[in-house]
Each structure stands twice: as C-alpha cells, then as structure tokens.
Amino acid sequence: MTDNNAKTIPIPHNIVLEDRQHLTLSGVTDVDTFDEQAICVLTDLGELTIKGDDLHINRLSLEMGEMAVDGEITSLTYTDTAKPKESSFFGRMFR
C-alpha cells in the first residue's frame, strides 16, 4: 500500500561532460523541448538548456532520472525555475 501524501525523494543531480561531445545527466524529471540545436531538460534544481549542434538524445529514463546526449555541446544554461529561496533576514524585515 502506498501513501499518496508521501514526499518524493529528489534524484541527485549530476552532469558529466566528456570532450564537449558526450553529456550524461542525472536528476532529470522531464524533457520540455528538443531539437538538433537545443534541449530543454527539467530538473529539481531548475530548467537546464543544452545548446549545440547535431544534438541527439541517446538514452532517456525518467524513472531513473538519467539522460545521455551526444553532439557538439556549446553551452549549458540553468533557468532558475526551482523552488524559490527564502529571503534573508533583512529582506524579510524590510519588505
């Protein structure tokens, strides 16, 4: 019997880039968009955009949170869509 109120355990998020040609990711929760020039991946730490040329997703397992990408990788960029951070003490005091 499963508990529907149980919190999901976040998957550790790691990035391994080899020679700017082979990228291995863990902590992937979903793939938003992809084509040969850009792949947008959702993680617990925010949206990650992978840019390059001739990009191919070789392996994707959302159950395991793993993904492998091949191609010429030119940039990795995070968009902070993760949980908002709490403001500092002074930030809360001077709202």
Coordinates of all heavy atoms in Angstrom, one line a residue:
M1 N 0.8 -1.2 0.0 CA 0.0 0.0 0.0 C 0.9 1.2 0.0 O 1.8 1.3 0.8 CB -0.9 0.0 1.2 CG -1.9 1.1 1.3 SD -3.3 0.7 2.3 CE -2.7 1.3 3.9
T2 N 0.6 2.2 -0.9 CA 1.4 3.4 -1.0 C 0.7 4.5 -0.3 O -0.5 4.6 -0.3 CB 1.7 3.7 -2.4 OG1 0.5 4.0 -3.1 CG2 2.5 2.6 -3.1
D3 N 1.5 5.5 0.2 CA 1.0 6.7 0.8 C 1.0 7.8 -0.2 O 2.0 8.2 -0.6 CB 1.8 7.0 2.1 CG 1.2 8.2 2.8 OD1 0.1 8.6 2.5 OD2 1.9 8.6 3.8
N4 N -0.2 8.3 -0.6 CA -0.3 9.4 -1.5 C 0.3 10.7 -1.0 O 0.6 11.6 -1.8 CB -1.7 9.6 -2.0 CG -2.2 8.5 -2.9 OD1 -1.4 7.7 -3.4 ND2 -3.5 8.3 -2.9
N5 N 0.4 10.8 0.3 CA 0.9 12.1 0.9 C 2.4 12.1 1.1 O 3.0 13.0 1.5 CB 0.2 12.3 2.3 CG -1.3 12.6 2.1 OD1 -1.7 13.1 1.1 ND2 -2.0 12.2 3.1
A6 N 3.0 11.0 0.8 CA 4.5 10.8 0.9 C 5.2 11.8 -0.1 O 4.8 11.9 -1.2 CB 4.9 9.4 0.7
K7 N 6.2 12.4 0.4 CA 7.0 13.3 -0.5 C 7.9 12.5 -1.3 O 8.5 11.5 -0.9 CB 7.8 14.3 0.4 CG 6.9 15.3 1.1 CD 7.8 16.3 1.9 CE 6.9 17.2 2.6 NZ 7.6 18.2 3.3
T8 N 8.2 12.9 -2.6 CA 9.1 12.2 -3.4 C 10.5 12.6 -3.0 O 10.8 13.8 -2.7 CB 8.8 12.6 -4.9 OG1 9.0 14.0 -5.1 CG2 7.4 12.1 -5.3
I9 N 11.4 11.7 -3.1 CA 12.8 11.9 -2.8 C 13.5 12.5 -4.1 O 13.4 11.8 -5.1 CB 13.5 10.6 -2.3 CG1 12.8 10.1 -1.1 CG2 15.0 10.8 -2.1 CD1 13.2 8.7 -0.6
P10 N 14.1 13.6 -4.0 CA 14.7 14.2 -5.2 C 15.9 13.3 -5.6 O 16.6 12.8 -4.8 CB 15.2 15.6 -4.7 CG 15.2 15.5 -3.3 CD 14.3 14.5 -2.8
I11 N 16.1 13.2 -6.9 CA 17.1 12.4 -7.5 C 18.4 13.3 -7.5 O 18.3 14.5 -7.9 CB 16.8 12.0 -8.9 CG1 15.5 11.1 -8.9 CG2 17.9 11.2 -9.6 CD1 14.9 10.9 -10.3
P12 N 19.5 12.8 -7.1 CA 20.7 13.6 -7.1 C 21.0 14.1 -8.5 O 20.8 13.4 -9.5 CB 21.9 12.7 -6.7 CG 21.2 11.6 -5.9 CD 19.8 11.5 -6.5
H13 N 21.4 15.4 -8.7 CA 21.6 16.0 -10.0 C 23.1 16.1 -10.3 O 23.9 16.7 -9.5 CB 21.0 17.4 -10.0 CG 21.1 18.1 -11.3 ND1 20.6 17.6 -12.5 CD2 21.7 19.3 -11.6 CE1 20.9 18.4 -13.5 NE2 21.5 19.4 -13.0
N14 N 23.6 15.4 -11.3 CA 25.0 15.4 -11.7 C 25.1 15.6 -13.2 O 24.2 15.2 -13.9 CB 25.6 14.0 -11.4 CG 25.7 13.8 -9.9 OD1 26.3 14.6 -9.1 ND2 25.1 12.7 -9.4
I15 N 26.2 16.2 -13.6 CA 26.5 16.5 -15.0 C 27.9 16.0 -15.3 O 28.8 16.4 -14.6 CB 26.3 17.9 -15.4 CG1 24.9 18.4 -15.2 CG2 26.8 18.2 -16.8 CD1 24.7 19.9 -15.4
V16 N 28.0 15.1 -16.3 CA 29.4 14.7 -16.7 C 29.5 15.1 -18.2 O 28.7 14.5 -19.0 CB 29.6 13.2 -16.5 CG1 31.0 12.8 -17.0 CG2 29.5 12.9 -15.0
L17 N 30.4 15.9 -18.6 CA 30.6 16.3 -20.0 C 32.0 15.9 -20.4 O 33.0 16.2 -19.8 CB 30.5 17.8 -20.1 CG 30.7 18.4 -21.5 CD1 29.7 17.9 -22.5 CD2 30.6 19.9 -21.4
E18 N 32.1 15.0 -21.4 CA 33.3 14.5 -21.9 C 33.6 15.0 -23.3 O 32.9 14.8 -24.2 CB 33.2 12.9 -22.0 CG 32.9 12.3 -20.6 CD 32.7 10.8 -20.8 OE1 33.3 10.2 -21.7 OE2 31.9 10.3 -20.0
D19 N 34.8 15.8 -23.3 CA 35.3 16.3 -24.6 C 34.2 17.2 -25.4 O 34.3 17.3 -26.6 CB 35.8 15.2 -25.5 CG 36.9 14.4 -24.9 OD1 37.7 15.1 -24.2 OD2 37.0 13.2 -25.1
R20 N 33.3 17.7 -24.6 CA 32.2 18.6 -25.2 C 31.4 17.8 -26.3 O 30.7 18.4 -27.1 CB 32.7 19.9 -25.8 CG 33.3 20.8 -24.8 CD 33.8 22.1 -25.3 NE 32.7 22.8 -25.9 CZ 32.9 24.0 -26.5 NH1 34.1 24.6 -26.5 NH2 31.9 24.7 -27.0
Q21 N 31.5 16.4 -26.2 CA 30.8 15.6 -27.2 C 29.8 14.7 -26.6 O 28.8 14.3 -27.2 CB 31.8 14.8 -28.0 CG 32.8 15.6 -28.8 CD 32.1 16.4 -29.9 OE1 31.3 15.8 -30.7 NE2 32.5 17.6 -30.1
H22 N 30.0 14.2 -25.3 CA 29.2 13.3 -24.6 C 28.7 13.9 -23.3 O 29.6 14.2 -22.5 CB 29.9 11.9 -24.4 CG 30.5 11.4 -25.7 ND1 29.7 10.8 -26.7 CD2 31.8 11.3 -26.1 CE1 30.5 10.4 -27.6 NE2 31.8 10.7 -27.3
L23 N 27.4 14.0 -23.1 CA 26.9 14.5 -21.9 C 26.0 13.5 -21.2 O 25.2 12.9 -21.8 CB 26.1 15.8 -22.2 CG 25.4 16.5 -21.0 CD1 26.4 17.1 -20.1 CD2 24.4 17.5 -21.5
T24 N 26.3 13.3 -19.9 CA 25.5 12.4 -19.1 C 24.9 13.2 -17.9 O 25.6 13.9 -17.2 CB 26.3 11.2 -18.5 OG1 27.0 10.6 -19.6 CG2 25.5 10.2 -17.8
L25 N 23.6 13.1 -17.8 CA 22.8 13.8 -16.7 C 22.1 12.8 -15.8 O 21.6 11.8 -16.3 CB 21.8 14.7 -17.3 CG 22.2 15.8 -18.3 CD1 21.0 16.4 -19.0 CD2 22.9 16.9 -17.5
S26 N 22.1 13.2 -14.5 CA 21.2 12.5 -13.6 C 20.3 13.6 -12.9 O 20.7 14.8 -12.9 CB 21.9 11.7 -12.6 OG 22.7 12.5 -11.8
G27 N 19.2 13.2 -12.3 CA 18.3 14.2 -11.7 C 17.3 14.8 -12.7 O 16.8 15.8 -12.4
V28 N 17.2 14.2 -13.8 CA 16.2 14.7 -14.8 C 14.8 14.3 -14.5 O 14.5 13.1 -14.2 CB 16.6 14.1 -16.2 CG1 15.6 14.5 -17.3 CG2 18.0 14.6 -16.6
T29 N 13.9 15.2 -14.5 CA 12.5 14.9 -14.2 C 11.6 14.9 -15.4 O 10.6 14.2 -15.4 CB 11.9 15.9 -13.1 OG1 12.0 17.2 -13.6 CG2 12.6 15.8 -11.8
D30 N 12.0 15.7 -16.4 CA 11.2 15.7 -17.7 C 12.1 16.4 -18.8 O 13.0 17.1 -18.5 CB 9.9 16.5 -17.5 CG 8.9 16.2 -18.5 OD1 9.1 15.3 -19.4 OD2 7.8 16.8 -18.5
V31 N 11.7 16.1 -20.0 CA 12.3 16.8 -21.2 C 11.2 17.7 -21.7 O 10.1 17.3 -22.1 CB 12.8 15.9 -22.2 CG1 13.3 16.6 -23.4 CG2 13.9 15.0 -21.7
D32 N 11.5 19.0 -21.7 CA 10.5 20.0 -22.2 C 10.4 20.1 -23.7 O 9.4 19.8 -24.3 CB 10.8 21.4 -21.6 CG 9.7 22.4 -21.8 OD1 8.5 22.0 -22.0 OD2 9.9 23.6 -21.8
T33 N 11.6 20.4 -24.3 CA 11.7 20.5 -25.8 C 13.0 20.0 -26.2 O 14.0 20.0 -25.4 CB 11.5 22.0 -26.3 OG1 12.5 22.8 -25.8 CG2 10.1 22.5 -25.9
F34 N 13.1 19.6 -27.5 CA 14.4 19.2 -28.0 C 14.4 19.3 -29.5 O 13.4 19.1 -30.2 CB 14.8 17.8 -27.6 CG 13.9 16.7 -28.1 CD1 14.1 16.0 -29.2 CD2 12.7 16.4 -27.4 CE1 13.3 15.0 -29.7 CE2 11.9 15.4 -27.8 CZ 12.1 14.7 -29.0
D35 N 15.6 19.6 -30.1 CA 15.8 19.5 -31.5 C 17.4 19.4 -31.6 O 18.0 19.2 -30.6 CB 15.3 20.7 -32.3 CG 15.8 22.1 -31.9 OD1 16.9 22.1 -31.4 OD2 15.1 23.1 -32.0
E36 N 17.9 19.5 -32.8 CA 19.3 19.3 -33.0 C 20.2 20.4 -32.5 O 21.4 20.3 -32.4 CB 19.6 19.1 -34.5 CG 19.1 17.7 -35.0 CD 19.5 17.4 -36.4 OE1 20.0 18.3 -37.1 OE2 19.3 16.3 -36.8
Q37 N 19.6 21.6 -32.2 CA 20.4 22.7 -31.7 C 20.2 23.0 -30.2 O 21.0 23.7 -29.6 CB 20.0 24.0 -32.4 CG 20.6 24.1 -33.8 CD 19.8 23.3 -34.8 OE1 18.6 23.2 -34.8 NE2 20.5 22.6 -35.7
A38 N 19.1 22.5 -29.6 CA 18.8 22.8 -28.2 C 17.9 21.7 -27.5 O 17.0 21.2 -28.2 CB 18.1 24.2 -28.0
I39 N 18.2 21.4 -26.3 CA 17.4 20.5 -25.5 C 17.1 21.2 -24.2 O 18.0 21.6 -23.5 CB 18.1 19.2 -25.3 CG1 18.5 18.5 -26.6 CG2 17.3 18.2 -24.4 CD1 19.4 17.3 -26.4
C40 N 15.8 21.3 -23.8 CA 15.4 21.9 -22.5 C 15.0 20.7 -21.6 O 14.1 20.0 -21.9 CB 14.3 22.9 -22.7 SG 14.8 24.3 -23.6
V41 N 15.7 20.6 -20.5 CA 15.5 19.5 -19.5 C 15.1 20.1 -18.2 O 15.6 21.1 -17.7 CB 16.8 18.7 -19.3 CG1 16.6 17.6 -18.3 CG2 17.3 18.2 -20.7
L42 N 14.1 19.5 -17.6 CA 13.6 19.9 -16.3 C 14.3 19.1 -15.2 O 14.3 17.8 -15.3 CB 12.1 19.8 -16.2 CG 11.3 20.6 -17.2 CD1 9.8 20.3 -17.0 CD2 11.6 22.1 -17.2
T43 N 14.8 19.8 -14.2 CA 15.4 19.1 -13.0 C 14.9 19.7 -11.8 O 14.2 20.7 -11.8 CB 17.0 19.3 -13.0 OG1 17.3 20.6 -12.6 CG2 17.6 18.9 -14.4
D44 N 15.2 19.1 -10.6 CA 14.7 19.6 -9.3 C 15.4 20.9 -9.0 O 14.9 21.7 -8.2 CB 15.0 18.6 -8.2 CG 14.0 17.4 -8.2 OD1 12.9 17.6 -8.8 OD2 14.4 16.4 -7.7
L45 N 16.5 21.2 -9.7 CA 17.3 22.4 -9.4 C 17.0 23.5 -10.5 O 17.7 24.6 -10.5 CB 18.8 22.1 -9.4 CG 19.2 21.1 -8.4 CD1 20.7 20.8 -8.4 CD2 18.8 21.6 -7.0
G46 N 16.1 23.3 -11.4 CA 15.7 24.3 -12.4 C 15.8 23.7 -13.8 O 16.1 22.6 -14.0
E47 N 15.4 24.5 -14.7 CA 15.4 24.1 -16.1 C 16.8 24.3 -16.7 O 17.5 25.3 -16.5 CB 14.5 25.0 -16.9 CG 14.4 24.5 -18.4 CD 13.3 25.3 -19.2 OE1 12.6 26.1 -18.6 OE2 13.3 25.2 -20.4
L48 N 17.3 23.2 -17.3 CA 18.7 23.2 -17.9 C 18.5 23.2 -19.4 O 17.8 22.4 -20.0 CB 19.4 22.0 -17.5 CG 20.8 21.7 -18.1 CD1 21.8 22.9 -17.8 CD2 21.4 20.4 -17.7
T49 N 19.1 24.2 -20.1 CA 19.1 24.3 -21.6 C 20.5 23.9 -22.1 O 21.5 24.5 -21.7 CB 18.7 25.7 -22.0 OG1 17.4 26.0 -21.5 CG2 18.7 25.7 -23.6
I50 N 20.5 22.9 -22.9 CA 21.7 22.4 -23.5 C 21.7 22.9 -25.0 O 20.8 22.6 -25.7 CB 21.8 20.8 -23.5 CG1 21.6 20.3 -22.1 CG2 23.1 20.3 -24.1 CD1 21.2 18.9 -22.0
K51 N 22.7 23.6 -25.4 CA 22.8 24.1 -26.7 C 24.0 23.5 -27.4 O 25.0 23.3 -26.8 CB 22.9 25.6 -26.8 CG 21.6 26.3 -26.3 CD 21.6 27.8 -26.5 CE 20.3 28.4 -26.0 NZ 20.3 29.9 -26.2
G52 N 23.9 23.4 -28.8 CA 25.0 22.9 -29.6 C 24.5 22.6 -31.0 O 23.5 23.1 -31.4
D53 N 25.3 21.7 -31.6 CA 25.0 21.3 -33.0 C 24.9 19.8 -33.1 O 25.7 19.1 -32.4 CB 26.1 21.8 -34.0 CG 26.1 23.3 -34.1 OD1 25.0 23.9 -34.2 OD2 27.1 23.9 -34.0
D54 N 24.0 19.3 -33.9 CA 23.8 17.8 -34.1 C 23.6 17.1 -32.8 O 24.2 16.0 -32.6 CB 25.0 17.3 -34.9 CG 24.7 16.0 -35.6 OD1 23.6 15.8 -35.9 OD2 25.7 15.2 -35.7
L55 N 22.7 17.6 -31.9 CA 22.5 17.0 -30.6 C 21.5 15.8 -30.8 O 20.5 15.9 -31.5 CB 21.9 18.0 -29.6 CG 22.7 19.2 -29.3 CD1 22.0 20.2 -28.4 CD2 24.0 18.8 -28.7
H56 N 21.8 14.8 -30.1 CA 20.9 13.6 -30.1 C 20.8 13.0 -28.7 O 21.8 12.9 -28.0 CB 21.5 12.5 -31.0 CG 21.7 12.9 -32.4 ND1 20.7 12.9 -33.3 CD2 22.8 13.3 -33.1 CE1 21.1 13.3 -34.5 NE2 22.4 13.6 -34.4
I57 N 19.6 12.7 -28.3 CA 19.3 12.1 -27.0 C 19.5 10.6 -27.3 O 18.7 9.9 -28.0 CB 17.9 12.4 -26.5 CG1 17.8 13.9 -26.2 CG2 17.7 11.6 -25.2 CD1 16.4 14.3 -25.8
N58 N 20.6 10.0 -26.7 CA 20.9 8.6 -26.9 C 20.1 7.7 -25.9 O 19.7 6.6 -26.2 CB 22.4 8.3 -26.8 CG 23.1 8.7 -28.0 OD1 22.5 8.8 -29.1 ND2 24.4 8.9 -27.9
R59 N 20.0 8.2 -24.6 CA 19.3 7.4 -23.6 C 18.5 8.4 -22.7 O 19.0 9.4 -22.4 CB 20.4 6.7 -22.8 CG 19.8 5.7 -21.8 CD 20.9 5.0 -20.9 NE 21.4 5.9 -20.0 CZ 22.7 6.3 -19.9 NH1 23.6 5.8 -20.8 NH2 23.2 7.1 -19.0
L60 N 17.3 7.9 -22.4 CA 16.5 8.7 -21.5 C 15.6 7.8 -20.7 O 14.9 6.9 -21.2 CB 15.5 9.6 -22.3 CG 14.5 10.4 -21.5 CD1 15.2 11.4 -20.6 CD2 13.6 11.2 -22.4
S61 N 15.8 7.9 -19.4 CA 15.0 7.1 -18.4 C 14.5 8.1 -17.3 O 15.2 8.5 -16.4 CB 15.8 6.0 -17.8 OG 15.1 5.4 -16.8
L62 N 13.2 8.5 -17.5 CA 12.7 9.4 -16.5 C 12.4 8.7 -15.1 O 12.5 9.3 -14.1 CB 11.4 10.0 -17.0 CG 11.5 10.9 -18.2 CD1 10.2 11.4 -18.7 CD2 12.5 12.0 -17.9
E63 N 12.2 7.4 -15.2 CA 12.1 6.6 -13.9 C 13.3 6.7 -13.1 O 13.3 6.8 -11.9 CB 11.7 5.2 -14.2 CG 10.3 5.0 -14.8 CD 10.3 5.2 -16.3 OE1 11.4 5.1 -17.0 OE2 9.3 5.6 -16.9
M64 N 14.5 6.6 -13.8 CA 15.8 6.6 -13.1 C 16.3 8.0 -13.1 O 17.3 8.3 -12.3 CB 16.8 5.7 -13.8 CG 16.4 4.3 -13.9 SD 16.4 3.5 -12.2 CE 18.1 3.6 -11.8
G65 N 15.7 9.0 -13.8 CA 16.2 10.3 -13.9 C 17.5 10.5 -14.6 O 18.3 11.4 -14.3
E66 N 17.8 9.7 -15.6 CA 19.0 9.7 -16.3 C 18.8 10.0 -17.8 O 17.8 9.6 -18.4 CB 19.8 8.4 -16.2 CG 20.1 8.1 -14.7 CD 20.8 6.7 -14.6 OE1 20.7 5.9 -15.5 OE2 21.3 6.4 -13.5
M67 N 19.8 10.6 -18.4 CA 19.8 11.0 -19.8 C 21.2 11.1 -20.3 O 22.1 11.5 -19.6 CB 19.1 12.4 -19.9 CG 19.0 12.9 -21.3 SD 18.0 14.4 -21.2 CE 18.5 15.2 -22.7
A68 N 21.4 10.7 -21.6 CA 22.7 10.8 -22.3 C 22.5 11.5 -23.6 O 21.5 11.2 -24.3 CB 23.3 9.4 -22.5
V69 N 23.3 12.5 -23.9 CA 23.2 13.3 -25.1 C 24.6 13.3 -25.8 O 25.6 13.4 -25.2 CB 22.9 14.8 -24.7 CG1 22.9 15.6 -26.0 CG2 21.6 14.9 -24.0
D70 N 24.6 13.1 -27.1 CA 25.8 13.2 -27.9 C 25.6 14.4 -28.9 O 24.5 14.7 -29.3 CB 26.0 11.9 -28.7 CG 26.5 10.8 -27.9 OD1 27.1 11.1 -26.8 OD2 26.4 9.6 -28.2
G71 N 26.7 14.9 -29.3 CA 26.7 16.0 -30.3 C 27.8 17.0 -29.9 O 28.5 16.8 -28.9
E72 N 27.9 18.2 -30.6 CA 28.8 19.2 -30.2 C 28.1 20.2 -29.3 O 27.3 21.0 -29.7 CB 29.2 20.0 -31.5 CG 30.3 21.0 -31.2 CD 30.7 21.8 -32.5 OE1 30.5 21.2 -33.6 OE2 31.2 22.9 -32.3
I73 N 28.5 20.1 -28.0 CA 27.8 20.8 -27.0 C 28.5 22.2 -26.8 O 29.7 22.2 -26.5 CB 27.7 20.0 -25.7 CG1 26.9 18.8 -25.9 CG2 27.2 20.9 -24.5 CD1 27.1 17.7 -24.9
T74 N 27.8 23.3 -26.9 CA 28.4 24.6 -26.8 C 28.1 25.3 -25.5 O 28.8 26.2 -25.1 CB 28.1 25.5 -28.0 OG1 26.6 25.6 -28.1 CG2 28.6 24.9 -29.3
S75 N 26.9 25.0 -24.9 CA 26.6 25.7 -23.7 C 25.6 24.9 -22.8 O 24.8 24.1 -23.4 CB 26.0 27.1 -23.9 OG 24.7 27.1 -24.2
L76 N 25.7 25.1 -21.5 CA 24.7 24.5 -20.6 C 24.3 25.7 -19.7 O 25.1 26.4 -19.1 CB 25.4 23.5 -19.6 CG 26.0 22.3 -20.3 CD1 26.9 21.5 -19.3 CD2 24.9 21.4 -20.9
T77 N 23.0 26.0 -19.7 CA 22.4 27.2 -19.0 C 21.3 26.8 -18.2 O 20.3 26.1 -18.6 CB 22.0 28.2 -20.0 OG1 23.0 28.5 -20.9 CG2 21.6 29.5 -19.3
Y78 N 21.3 27.2 -16.9 CA 20.2 27.0 -16.0 C 19.2 28.2 -16.0 O 19.7 29.3 -15.9 CB 20.6 26.7 -14.6 CG 21.1 25.4 -14.3 CD1 22.5 25.1 -14.4 CD2 20.3 24.3 -14.0 CE1 23.0 23.8 -14.2 CE2 20.7 23.0 -13.8 CZ 22.1 22.8 -13.9 OH 22.5 21.5 -13.7
T79 N 17.9 27.9 -16.0 CA 16.9 28.9 -15.7 C 16.4 28.6 -14.4 O 15.9 27.5 -14.2 CB 15.8 28.9 -16.8 OG1 16.4 29.1 -18.1 CG2 14.8 30.0 -16.5
D80 N 16.4 29.5 -13.4 CA 16.1 29.2 -12.1 C 14.6 29.1 -11.9 O 13.9 30.0 -11.6 CB 16.6 30.2 -11.1 CG 16.5 29.7 -9.7 OD1 16.4 28.5 -9.4 OD2 16.7 30.6 -8.8
T81 N 14.0 27.9 -12.2 CA 12.6 27.6 -12.0 C 12.4 26.7 -10.8 O 11.3 26.1 -10.7 CB 12.0 27.0 -13.3 OG1 12.6 25.8 -13.6 CG2 12.0 28.0 -14.4
A82 N 13.4 26.4 -10.1 CA 13.3 25.6 -8.9 C 12.6 26.3 -7.8 O 12.1 27.4 -7.9 CB 14.7 25.1 -8.4
K83 N 12.5 25.6 -6.6 CA 11.8 26.2 -5.5 C 12.4 27.6 -5.2 O 13.6 27.7 -5.2 CB 11.9 25.3 -4.3 CG 11.4 24.0 -4.5 CD 11.8 23.1 -3.3 CE 11.7 21.6 -3.7 NZ 12.3 20.8 -2.7
P84 N 11.6 28.6 -4.9 CA 12.1 29.9 -4.6 C 12.8 29.9 -3.3 O 12.4 29.2 -2.3 CB 10.9 30.8 -4.5 CG 9.7 29.9 -4.4 CD 10.1 28.6 -4.9
K85 N 14.0 30.5 -3.2 CA 14.8 30.6 -2.0 C 14.1 31.5 -1.0 O 13.6 32.5 -1.5 CB 16.2 31.0 -2.3 CG 17.0 30.0 -3.1 CD 18.4 30.4 -3.3 CE 19.1 29.4 -4.1 NZ 20.5 29.8 -4.4
E86 N 14.2 31.2 0.2 CA 13.7 32.2 1.2 C 14.6 33.4 1.3 O 15.8 33.3 1.1 CB 13.7 31.5 2.6 CG 12.7 30.4 2.7 CD 12.6 29.9 4.1 OE1 12.9 30.6 5.1 OE2 12.2 28.7 4.3
S87 N 14.0 34.5 1.5 CA 14.8 35.8 1.5 C 15.6 35.8 2.8 O 15.3 35.1 3.8 CB 13.9 37.0 1.3 OG 12.9 37.0 2.4
S88 N 16.6 36.7 2.9 CA 17.4 36.8 4.0 C 16.6 37.5 5.2 O 15.5 38.0 5.0 CB 18.6 37.7 3.7 OG 18.2 39.0 3.4
F89 N 17.2 37.5 6.3 CA 16.5 38.1 7.5 C 16.2 39.6 7.2 O 15.1 40.0 7.5 CB 17.5 38.0 8.7 CG 17.0 38.8 9.9 CD1 15.9 38.4 10.7 CD2 17.6 40.0 10.2 CE1 15.5 39.1 11.7 CE2 17.1 40.8 11.3 CZ 16.1 40.3 12.1
F90 N 17.2 40.3 6.7 CA 16.9 41.8 6.4 C 15.9 41.9 5.2 O 15.2 42.9 5.2 CB 18.2 42.5 6.0 CG 19.1 42.6 7.2 CD1 20.3 41.9 7.3 CD2 18.8 43.4 8.3 CE1 21.1 42.0 8.4 CE2 19.6 43.5 9.4 CZ 20.8 42.8 9.5
G91 N 15.9 41.0 4.3 CA 15.0 41.1 3.2 C 13.6 40.9 3.7 O 12.6 41.6 3.2
R92 N 13.4 40.0 4.7 CA 12.0 39.9 5.2 C 11.6 41.0 6.1 O 10.5 41.4 6.2 CB 12.0 38.6 6.0 CG 12.0 37.3 5.2 CD 11.8 36.1 6.0 NE 12.6 35.9 7.2 CZ 13.7 35.3 7.3 NH1 14.2 34.6 6.2 NH2 14.4 35.2 8.4
M93 N 12.6 41.6 6.8 CA 12.4 42.7 7.8 C 12.0 44.0 7.0 O 11.2 44.7 7.5 CB 13.6 42.9 8.6 CG 13.4 43.8 9.8 SD 14.7 43.6 11.0 CE 15.6 45.1 10.6
F94 N 12.6 44.2 5.8 CA 12.4 45.5 5.1 C 11.5 45.3 3.9 O 11.6 46.0 2.9 CB 13.7 46.1 4.7 CG 14.5 46.5 5.9 CD1 15.7 45.8 6.2 CD2 14.2 47.6 6.7 CE1 16.5 46.2 7.3 CE2 14.9 47.9 7.8 CZ 16.1 47.2 8.1
R95 N 10.5 44.5 4.0 CA 9.6 44.3 2.8 C 8.7 45.5 2.6 O 8.2 46.2 3.4 CB 8.6 43.1 3.0 CG 9.3 41.9 2.6 CD 8.3 40.8 2.6 NE 9.0 39.6 3.1 CZ 8.5 38.4 3.1 NH1 7.2 38.2 2.8 NH2 9.1 37.4 3.5

